[in-house]
C-alpha cells in the first residue's frame, strides 16, 4: 500500500493511505526515493512555523529526490524515467520579481512544497514540471535528497561572490555549514576557515576543504573577505560579522528566534560591510547546485547518518531535535529501505 505522512495539526500526525495524483497539464508525477528532515519540518510538527508559512493538514517534505514516473499534457515525454530534484517555491511566474529570476520574492504570496502544498513524505509527489532539475542517470539519489539545502547555500555563495585567492570563512558546522565549505572550496580560496561550537566537526570540515577550524571561544581573526553564516543564531551572526575586514561581504542564511538582537548598525556603516541574506533558493542557485553535484564537486553523502522508513517519522523528528552530535542528516525512504536495512 502506498503511504504518506500527514500532520493533521501541531503535534498530531498519522501514516495515511496515499493515492498518487495523476499529473495535470504542465505537471509531473515523481516516485520519491528519499526525503530529508530539517529544523523547519520540526517547526511544522511542533507548530512553531510562522503564521502564513504552513497550512494544515499537511504532508511535509521539501528536501527530496526521485524519478519521474509520468507527465501531463505540455510536458516532454522524454522526462519520464529521469532522476530529478525539485524547487519548493510555487512562484507565480508573472510578477516583476519572478521575471527577474527572484522567485523566492514572488509578490503573489508564499506557497511552498511541504509547507503549504503537499510534500514528499509520501511514495509519490505531483508538482509543476517546470520546478524539476534533471540529474545524471548514474547519480546517487540518496545523496541527491540533500540538494535542497545545498541550493540554499548555493544562493549564498552566489551572493558572496568569493573570488579565487580571497580569504573566506563559514560560521556553523551543520548540514548548511558543510555545504558552504564545499561551495567556497570550489572557488579556490586563499584560506577557508570554519568556526563552530563542535570540535568533532573539525575533521569533516577539513575533509571538505577547510584550511583551519576554530571554536568561537578561541581567538578569531578579523580580516576575512567573505563570511557565510549558517548557524541560525544571533550570536553566530555577530561572530560572522566580527570576522570580516572593512568592506567585507557577509551572507546570513540562518533564521534566529523571533526578537533576537541583531547586528550593530553603527558597526556595519563604519566598517562599510556588505550584508546579504538568503531565504530559499531561486532557479539560478538550483541550476548551479545541479551542475556542481553532477561534476562531482559536491559530496552530500557523508552528512547522512540516519535512514528510516516512512513510518519512522516520529523517530526522525526526535533525532533532528536531539542535539546528539552523532546525528547528522536524517532521511526517510518512502519506498522502504533496501533489504529492510539502513543507517539507523
Amino acid at each position: 500500500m502506498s503511504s504518506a505522512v500527514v500532520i493533521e495539526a501541531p503535534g498530531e500526525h498519522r501514516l495515511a493511505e496515499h493515492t498518487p495524483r495523476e499529473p495535470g497539464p504542465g505537471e509531473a508525477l515523481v516516485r520519491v526515493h528519499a526525503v530529508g528532515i530539517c529544523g523547519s519540518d520540526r517547526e511544522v510538527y511542533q507548530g512553531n512555523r510562522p503564521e502564513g508559512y504552513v497550512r494544515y493538514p499537511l504532508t511535509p517534505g521539501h528536501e527530496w529526490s526521485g524519478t519521474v514516473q509520468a507527465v501531463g499534457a505540455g510536458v516532454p515525454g522524454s522526462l519520464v524515467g529521469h532522476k530529478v530534484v525539485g524547487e519548493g517555491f510555487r512562484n507565480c511566474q508573472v510578477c516583476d520579481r519572478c521575471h527577474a529570476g527572484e522567485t523566492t520574492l514572488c509578490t503573489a504570496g508564499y506557497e511552498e512544497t511541504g509547507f503549504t502544498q503537499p510534500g514528499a513524505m509520501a511514495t509519490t509527489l505531483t508538482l509543476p514540471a517546470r520546478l524539476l532539475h534533471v540529474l545524471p542517470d548514474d547519480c546517487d539519489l540518496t545523496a541527491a535528497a540533500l540538494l535542497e539545502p545545498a541550493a540554499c547555500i548555493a544562493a549564498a555563495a552566489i551572493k558572496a561572490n568569493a573570488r579565487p585567492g580571497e580569504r573566506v570563512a563559514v560560521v556553523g558546522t551543520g548540514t548548511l555549514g558543510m555545504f558552504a565549505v564545499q561551495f567556497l572550496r570550489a572557488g579556490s580560496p586563499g584560506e577557508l576557515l570554519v568556526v563552530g561550537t563542535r570540535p568533532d566537526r573539525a575533521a569533516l570540515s577539513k575533509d571538505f576543504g577547510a584550511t583551519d577550524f576554530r571554536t568561537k571561544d578561541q581567538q578569531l581573526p578579523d580580516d576575512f573577505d567573505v563570511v557565510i553564516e549558517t548557524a541560525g543564531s544571533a550570536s553566530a551572526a555577530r561572530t560572522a560579522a566580527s570576522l570580516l575586514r572593512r568592506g567585507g561581504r557577509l551572507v546570513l542564511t540562518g533564521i534566529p528566534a523571533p526578537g533576537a538582537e541583531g547586528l550593530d548598525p553603527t558597526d556595519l556603516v563604519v566598517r562599510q560591510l556588505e550584508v546579504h541574506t538568503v531565504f530559499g533558493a531561486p532557479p539560478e542557485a538550483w541550476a548551479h547546485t545541479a551542475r556542481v553535484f553532477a561534476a562531482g564537486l559536491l559530496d552530500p553523502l557523508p552528512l547522512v547518518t540516519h535512514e528510516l522508513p516512512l513510518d519512522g517519522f516520529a523517530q526522525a523528528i526526535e533525532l533532528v531535535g536531539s542535539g546528539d552530535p552523532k546525528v547528522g542528516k536524517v532521511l526517510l525512504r518512502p519506498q522502504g529501505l533496501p533489504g529492510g536495512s539502513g543507517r539507523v
Side-chain angles (χ1 to χ4, degrees), residues 35-333:
V35 53
I37 294 182
C38 77
S40 56
D41 295 302
R42 186 172 168 83
E43 287 178 352
V44 169
Y45 183 66
Q46 294 180 327
N48 299 326
R49 186 84 170 161
E51 185 177 356
Y53 288 84
V54 65
R55 188 179 302 134
Y56 302 100
L58 173 71
T59 292
H62 62 286
E63 305 177 3
W64 58 270
S65 63
T67 303
V68 178
Q69 275 195 322
V71 296
V75 181
S78 58
L79 194 61
V80 174
H82 279 290
K83 295 177 178 180
V84 293
V85 290
E87 299 175 33
F89 283 79
R90 307 290 185 93
N91 53 293
C92 74
Q93 295 188 286
V94 296
C95 72
D96 61 341
R97 292 302 86 206
C98 284
H99 281 306
E102 298 175 336
T103 55
T104 60
L105 298 175
C106 177
T107 61
Y110 171 78
E111 294 287 345
E112 185 176 4
T113 299
F115 297 106
T116 63
Q117 297 290 330
M121 290 188 194
T123 47
T124 68
L125 172 65
T126 302
L127 75 166
R130 61 182 171 81
L131 299 177
L132 298 178
H133 290 264
V134 177
L135 302 175
D137 291 339
D138 61 352
C139 81
D140 186 325
L141 277 178
T142 301
L146 277 69
L147 293 189
E148 191 277 340
C152 294
I153 292 301
I158 290 170
K159 289 188 175 184
N161 191 28
R163 302 169 183 89
E166 285 193 314
R167 303 177 72 226
V168 302
V170 174
V171 175
T173 57
T175 298
L176 297 182
M178 294 300 96
F179 278 135
V181 172
Q182 295 184 62
F183 275 109
L184 290 173
R185 175 203 60 188
S188 301
E191 184 177 345
L192 205 175
L193 168 68
V194 174
V195 178
T197 59
R198 293 174 48 184
D200 62 295
R201 287 298 232 186
L204 185 59
S205 298
K206 292 181 178 179
D207 286 345
F208 284 142
T211 58
D212 192 12
F213 179 95
R214 302 186 194 183
T215 56
K216 64 179 183 178
D217 56 346
Q218 293 179 296
Q219 184 175 354
L220 299 175
D222 60 2
D223 56 355
F224 275 64
D225 299 294
V226 170
V227 180
I228 295 179
E229 177 276 326
T230 68
S233 70
S235 63
R238 291 191 288 270
T239 296
S242 73
L243 292 169
L244 287 165
R245 62 166 172 81
R246 287 173 55 103
R249 305 187 296 283
L250 172 64
V251 186
L252 305 174
T253 70
I255 303 177
E261 294 185 5
L263 303 176
D264 180 355
T266 301
D267 180 59
L268 299 181
V269 173
V270 170
R271 293 204 289 139
Q272 301 180 62
L273 300 183
E274 184 180 319
V275 181
H276 297 273
T277 60
V278 168
F279 178 66
E284 178 188 17
W286 273 96
H288 180 53
T289 301
R291 284 193 301 270
V292 172
F293 178 65
L297 299 174
L298 194 66
D299 186 11
L301 208 55
L303 301 174
V304 179
T305 58
H306 294 75
E307 296 179 65
L308 302 168
L310 207 58
D311 61 8
F313 172 76
Q315 181 185 353
I317 289 292
E318 289 181 6
L319 285 168
V320 169
S322 69
D324 185 342
K326 295 181 180 179
V327 177
K329 197 63 184 179
V330 179
L331 301 181
L332 294 182
R333 298 286 295 271

